[in-house]
Amino acid sequence: MAKESGIGMSIAVDDSGGSARTISNDITNFDFSTPRNVQVVTGLDKSAEERLQLLADFSITINGVFNDASNQSHAVFSTVPSSSVARTVTITVSGQSLPNETFFNDYAITRAATGELTFSAPGTLTGGTVPTWA
């Protein structure tokens, strides 16, 4: 495997009806993380931290340009405030994919002083399935 850029990445997010929508063209940047919780269990007899690895997690924030065309980002995220459904988010790069069931907890739209109309949509893992690249 060689080092690669993120050029050509793809992100699909389910709309509130459960249909996957590839909205990569609307996304300007995103960040995600797949942390593991740890518990410190250091006894008095130790001189260094002792830990147990605990639950896995996933979080993502998708940022992009407002697009209200059919089946694009606004159609996907505009139902976040009015529906309580898990949405599959699938990140794909170089033939590798990371699908996760995600709750989005906000759909924030910003109109900058210079005229840009952008959005931000943060989400977190639901359903208890460990984030796994395939």
Side-chain angles (χ1 to χ4, degrees):
M1 195 57 106
K3 294 178 183 179
E4 299 182 33
S5 72
I7 296 173
M9 290 185 79
S10 166
I11 294 183
V13 180
D14 285 1
D15 61 20
S16 62
S19 296
R21 306 295 183 194
T22 300
I23 58 171
S24 304
N25 187 54
D26 297 347
I27 299 171
T28 56
N29 67 299
F30 71 100
D31 61 80
F32 71 93
S33 94
T34 55
R36 295 291 304 252
N37 288 304
V38 294
Q39 177 183 3
V40 176
V41 294
T42 310
L44 294 176
D45 61 335
K46 302 292 184 201
S47 297
E49 296 283 4
E50 185 178 18
R51 295 179 175 90
L52 296 175
Q53 193 169 43
L54 303 174
L55 299 174
D57 203 357
F58 171 82
S59 64
I60 188 166
T61 300
I62 298 173
N63 302 296
V65 178
F66 183 87
N67 181 353
D68 63 354
S70 178
N71 299 325
Q72 295 303 310
S73 58
H74 182 68
V76 169
F77 295 120
S78 66
T79 56
V80 166
S82 61
S83 64
S84 300
V85 297
R87 299 158 189 257
T88 303
V89 174
T90 304
I91 302 166
T92 304
V93 60
S94 186
Q96 307 295 314
S97 64
L98 180 63
N100 287 288
E101 290 302 306
T102 306
F103 279 134
F104 283 91
N105 57 5
D106 196 9
Y107 174 51
I109 298 174
T110 301
R111 196 283 191 175
T114 53
E116 291 97 344
L117 189 60
T118 61
F119 73 87
S120 180
T124 55
L125 185 70
T126 182
T129 301
V130 174
T132 305
W133 284 92

